[in-house]
Amino acid sequence: MAHRPRLRLLPAMAGTSVLLLLLLLQAAFQAANAQPTPTLTLVGSTGNCSCNSTTSTLSCFGLGLTLASLPANLSLCPSLAIVNLGNNALTAMPPQFLSASSLLLTLVLSNNELTDLDPNFFANTSLMTLYISNNRLTRFRDSWISSLTSLQGIAIALNNFTVLDVEKIMTQIPGLLSVLAGGNNLRGLNMSI
């Protein structure tokens, strides 16, 4: 007669305890081998801000940020949809700041001291809303227009624009629904559309 191994059944509670122990061991192993998730923290004169992966935002409103506070780009926060750098002390932006932000939908740079932005600053973005009001910008570059083809709304009020070709902007950005441009020093305005 062949010898049959005896099957030993554990009580239901013991089986649950073993399963729980295995799950805890697996979680501990994963935690021990996990790579730290890089994050971006910006340090301003009145506070800090970090990427929020849950809401896909970087909100640094009114923290006293300067150009020196900013990284060269947002590569540590690649899935951002909203960046709010409004109400700071920014006089310029790193030229490649948005280069790793192809998912960015809204950018707020209002209430800073920007005098110009790089001609290719908006290249490779899919911005739908752009707020750059209340700065010191003097021109709206053609290269910005060709990069902002997904734009639906733009606020460029309270800058130092003297000429604004609204016809060109509206023609080259067909989905544009709103242009807020009041409070500029406009001497020339092309609006024959």
Side-chain angles (χ1 to χ4, degrees), residues 40 42 58 60 65-74 83-99 101 104 107-122 127 130-132 135 137 144:
L40 173 68
L42 302 181
L58 175 66
C60 304
L65 297 176
T66 63
L67 178 60
S69 309
L70 300 179
N73 62 51
L74 294 172
V83 171
N84 185 348
L85 298 174
N87 203 32
N88 281 291
L90 299 170
T91 56
M93 294 295 294
Q96 299 295 315
F97 189 71
L98 301 178
S99 64
S101 303
L104 190 62
L107 176 62
V108 180
L109 294 173
S110 295
N111 301 312
N112 279 290
E113 299 172 23
L114 299 171
T115 56
D116 198 8
L117 294 170
D118 187 81
N120 298 313
F121 183 73
F122 299 109
L127 286 175
L130 175 61
Y131 300 93
I132 53 175
N135 278 288
L137 299 170
W144 298 349

Side-chain angles (χ1 to χ4, degrees), residues 56 73-83 96-107 120-129 147-151:
S56 299
N73 62 51
L74 294 172
S75 61
L76 292 177
C77 303
S79 61
L80 285 176
I82 300 168
V83 171
Q96 299 295 315
F97 189 71
L98 301 178
S99 64
S101 303
S102 61
L103 301 176
L104 190 62
L105 300 175
T106 300
L107 176 62
N120 298 313
F121 183 73
F122 299 109
N124 302 317
T125 64
S126 300
L127 286 175
M128 296 179 76
T129 313
S147 296
L148 294 169
T149 56
S150 300
L151 211 57

Side-chain angles (χ1 to χ4, degrees), residues 35 156 163 165:
Q35 298 297 318
I156 55 176
V163 176
D165 193 342

